[in-house]
Amino acid sequence: MVILSASEALHGATALLGGAPHLRFVHEAVTTEDRPVRWLGRLARKGEERVIALYPTAAVRDQVGPHFPRLPGVVRAFAVDDGRPLSDSERDGARGAFTIPADATAVCVIGGWWPYKDIPTIDAALARLTTPLHVLVCGMPLDDAILTRWHQLPNVHLHTVPGPVGDQVLRLVYAAADAALVARKSGVGKESGLVMDAVRLGVPLIVSAHDPELTARLAGEPWTRLFPSGDPDALAKALDQLAAEVPARPGPSACGALDMNSAADQAAFLTDNYPRLTKECR
């Protein structure tokens, strides 16, 4: 049994009320819950022995772990490599679908514009561009006022694909881009599904240095361009440089740089650990 949860509390209560041990992916540290709920969690602390917390990054573990010293935990990436990188025919077809010339430069901005996304830095950087750039925006929620402003920028050719969308459309958006742009506010340490998606699909990255551990993993990779988090001038420079030099595509070994496992390895890990946990709880 695997529970996917954004809550970093009530591990023991969930195990006791559910009546079964479980593995629990804790995606991020959002809140420590209010006092009555935390009190309930303390009453059910014995149930933490029936849980293994799976933290997608060391940053999430470091945020959550001290609150639950008795809770077993493992750092394990949630995203998996499905072994289906984009093909050349998909890239050619995607450029045609969005009417982006073969010699033009394009980036994609994927996902909803949630508070941890650094849209203001992207907004300011696009206004500073000195070379033309196609920008593909896909997701929800989006900000129509900002999109309208981007439409009016002299060096931006905007393509919008409001979400939610299926996997085939998402692959189409990634395939049309020379690079995926990921900008987050400094200090955000949760796993970036956007980074993982780009790498497994074989799309180069332009990514903010918002998480020191992620930055250390990506630094020096030929398929990544890093820029300081919250720095629109640096981002504008990185986007302008795409026209002269597109980063290399992530190859088969790129997923290893992020400790991303194959679907088969992830399934084996879960199925090996769950029986062990249930046996220990008897």
Side-chain angles (χ1 to χ4, degrees), residues 109-120 122 137-147 150 160-165 194:
V109 179
I110 307 290
W113 291 2
W114 305 107
Y116 54 83
K117 301 284 185 69
D118 194 1
I119 301 302
I122 298 177
V137 175
C138 177
M140 70 172 296
L142 305 174
D143 188 317
D144 290 337
I146 293 177
L147 291 174
W150 292 0
T160 57
V161 184
V165 299
L194 304 179

Side-chain angles (χ1 to χ4, degrees), residues 30 59 79 105 161 239 252:
V30 179
T105 307
V161 184
L239 293 173

Side-chain angles (χ1 to χ4, degrees), residues 99-190:
T99 64
I100 300 175
D103 59 349
T105 307
V107 298
C108 61
V109 179
I110 307 290
W113 291 2
W114 305 107
Y116 54 83
K117 301 284 185 69
D118 194 1
I119 301 302
T121 293
I122 298 177
D123 183 29
L126 293 181
R128 291 166 165 79
L129 293 180
T130 61
T131 59
L133 179 69
H134 288 258
V135 179
L136 300 109
V137 175
C138 177
M140 70 172 296
L142 305 174
D143 188 317
D144 290 337
I146 293 177
L147 291 174
T148 298
R149 184 159 62 247
W150 292 0
H151 265 297
Q152 298 169 348
L153 293 174
N155 283 314
V156 172
H157 303 277
L158 186 65
H159 311 262
T160 57
V161 184
V165 299
D167 181 64
Q168 290 304 314
V169 174
L170 194 59
R171 288 178 68 92
L172 188 75
V173 176
Y174 273 113
D178 293 300
L181 171 56
V182 179
R184 292 190 168 186
K185 294 180 179 178
S186 182
V188 175
K190 59 181 288 187

Side-chain angles (χ1 to χ4, degrees), residues 41-240:
R42 285 195 294 271
L43 288 178
R45 188 163 289 168
K46 182 68 176 176
E48 292 175 9
E49 299 173 359
R50 301 165 62 85
V51 179
I52 295 178
L54 305 177
Y55 304 114
T57 68
V60 175
R61 177 202 60 197
D62 294 344
Q63 287 178 296
V64 177
H67 295 289
F68 301 93
R70 302 177 186 176
L71 178 69
V74 177
V75 175
R76 182 81 179 183
F78 174 70
V80 297
D81 176 18
D82 62 0
R84 298 174 56 233
L86 294 167
S87 65
D88 289 338
S89 61
E90 283 182 288
R91 290 186 172 90
D92 293 340
R95 285 282 176 140
F98 288 105
T99 64
I100 300 175
D103 59 349
T105 307
V107 298
C108 61
V109 179
I110 307 290
W113 291 2
W114 305 107
Y116 54 83
K117 301 284 185 69
D118 194 1
I119 301 302
T121 293
I122 298 177
D123 183 29
L126 293 181
R128 291 166 165 79
L129 293 180
T130 61
T131 59
L133 179 69
H134 288 258
V135 179
L136 300 109
V137 175
C138 177
M140 70 172 296
L142 305 174
D143 188 317
D144 290 337
I146 293 177
L147 291 174
T148 298
R149 184 159 62 247
W150 292 0
H151 265 297
Q152 298 169 348
L153 293 174
N155 283 314
V156 172
H157 303 277
L158 186 65
H159 311 262
T160 57
V161 184
V165 299
D167 181 64
Q168 290 304 314
V169 174
L170 194 59
R171 288 178 68 92
L172 188 75
V173 176
Y174 273 113
D178 293 300
L181 171 56
V182 179
R184 292 190 168 186
K185 294 180 179 178
S186 182
V188 175
K190 59 181 288 187
E191 178 179 287
S192 173
L194 304 179
V195 168
M196 298 297 209
D197 279 349
V199 171
R200 71 177 178 83
L201 290 172
V203 180
L205 279 165
I206 298 177
V207 60
S208 58
H210 55 274
D211 174 11
E213 185 193 17
L214 178 63
T215 298
R217 288 177 178 272
L218 296 177
E221 295 291 352
W223 37 268
T224 299
R225 298 290 183 269
L226 290 161
F227 68 94
S229 186
D231 188 337
D233 290 323
L235 175 54
K237 183 178 179 180
L239 293 173
D240 276 336

